[in-house]
Amino acid sequence: MNRPRKILVIEDEKDISRVLKDYLTNNGYEVFVAENGQEGLKLIDTLSPDFIILDIMLPDMDGIELCRQTREAYNTPILILSARGSDTDKVLGLGFGADDYMTKPFSLSELVARINAHLRRESMDSRPKHDELLQFGSLIIDKKAYKVTIEGEEISLSAKEFELLYYLSKHKNQVFSKSQLLDAIWGYDTYGDESTITVYIRRLREKLESDPSNPTYIKTVWGVGYKFSLD
């Protein structure tokens, strides 16, 4: 019998953390709670959770900083919860390695749908795959090593940035809408926020392109979506 997947909730509001623990437990997860950032970092090291739910406003440290520190050592999926819904906070959270972002108040059923989608996607990515090394001129994308190089220089990408780049490049010249990319990379489209794709495309261009406003690799097809093309 498979063990329950472990979820770590890092949330200082006890009413919220209690509701999350009860609801997620009822949905078959093993749930642990940390009330501040330092406790959260310790539990990440000791528990090796399968998924992390992280409040952006913690009493002892900024949630985005905790996200950054976690991402330096682990690829565990991270979903940020925030009472602040500004695009700036979302860009910061996703930019420092979060995989998803939800604004309070939120739907518990939507939260579970997103968690299920992330974990399902992670399980699919762990299966052996063919065509794990893609090369386009000086750009080399190594799926097995989760490594991208341009002219021999490694480009630092988060797990989701890499997956988005790999998916687009594997389907060279095919145009995808934002909802299709959400479904392919995050595993959901009904609940997804399409601005997530905009943030990730912008960050990929900043890291890959010598001129992000005139991209070589990831092209915008206005009114439709994006494609990977060297044309």
Side-chain angles (χ1 to χ4, degrees):
M1 183 176 178
N2 294 332
R3 67 165 179 83
R5 308 298 290 272
K6 291 186 288 188
I7 295 181
L8 174 60
V9 177
I10 307 176
E11 168 65 69
D12 65 315
E13 294 186 45
K14 292 185 178 180
D15 288 343
I16 293 178
S17 61
R18 182 166 52 248
V19 168
L20 285 172
K21 183 172 184 178
D22 290 346
Y23 193 84
L24 293 171
T25 299
N26 288 337
N27 278 271
Y29 291 107
E30 186 177 8
V31 184
F32 302 85
V33 174
E35 295 184 357
N36 57 62
Q38 292 301 325
E39 184 183 356
L41 287 172
K42 290 178 182 177
L43 287 177
I44 290 169
D45 288 333
T46 57
L47 292 174
S48 297
D50 298 293
F51 196 91
I52 298 169
I53 298 173
L54 171 61
D55 182 17
I56 205 171
M57 299 179 69
L58 297 169
D60 59 338
M61 67 188 301
D62 185 77
I64 290 175
E65 171 61 18
L66 192 152
C67 180
R68 185 192 67 78
Q69 291 186 33
T70 301
R71 190 54 74 230
E72 287 180 350
Y74 301 97
N75 283 323
T76 310
I78 300 173
L79 183 147
I80 285 180
L81 292 178
S82 176
R84 305 184 305 218
S86 73
D87 287 342
T88 300
D89 289 323
K90 184 167 188 174
V91 168
L92 283 172
L94 296 175
F96 281 105
D99 299 280
D100 211 342
Y101 189 104
M102 292 184 71
T103 303
K104 299 176 182 177
F106 55 89
S107 161
L108 288 169
S109 60
E110 177 182 344
L111 175 65
V112 169
R114 292 196 185 194
I115 293 170
N116 290 341
H118 281 291
L119 294 177
R120 183 168 59 249
R121 183 71 191 174
E122 185 183 42
S123 297
M124 291 172 63
D125 286 341
S126 67
R127 300 173 187 171
K129 291 181 175 66
H130 301 293
D131 302 325
E132 292 191 331
L133 186 66
L134 303 175
Q135 183 167 1
F136 306 92
S138 64
L139 172 65
I140 299 175
I141 305 170
D142 186 343
K143 174 68 171 177
K144 188 174 182 179
Y146 263 61
K147 181 178 178 181
V148 173
T149 58
I150 296 180
E151 296 181 351
E153 181 180 349
E154 184 171 354
I155 308 300
S156 178
L157 300 181
S158 70
K160 280 292 184 287
E161 287 170 350
F162 181 92
E163 289 165 18
L164 179 57
L165 174 62
Y166 180 81
Y167 185 82
L168 285 167
S169 61
K170 189 175 180 181
H171 299 87
K172 182 182 174 184
N173 294 324
Q174 184 173 342
V175 180
F176 295 96
S177 67
K178 292 178 182 178
S179 63
Q180 287 174 320
L181 292 173
L182 276 172
D183 190 38
I185 307 304
W186 279 261
Y188 56 82
D189 53 7
T190 303
Y191 297 111
D193 182 347
E194 293 186 355
S195 65
T196 298
I197 297 298
T198 305
V199 170
Y200 272 80
I201 293 293
R202 181 166 67 246
R203 289 190 60 80
L204 279 173
R205 286 172 172 167
E206 288 172 351
K207 294 181 178 183
L208 298 174
E209 307 283 359
S210 56
D211 181 5
S213 62
N214 186 28
T216 300
Y217 303 110
I218 301 175
K219 311 291 177 56
T220 299
V221 181
W222 296 107
V224 183
Y226 301 98
K227 69 175 180 177
F228 183 96
S229 174
L230 301 182
D231 299 335

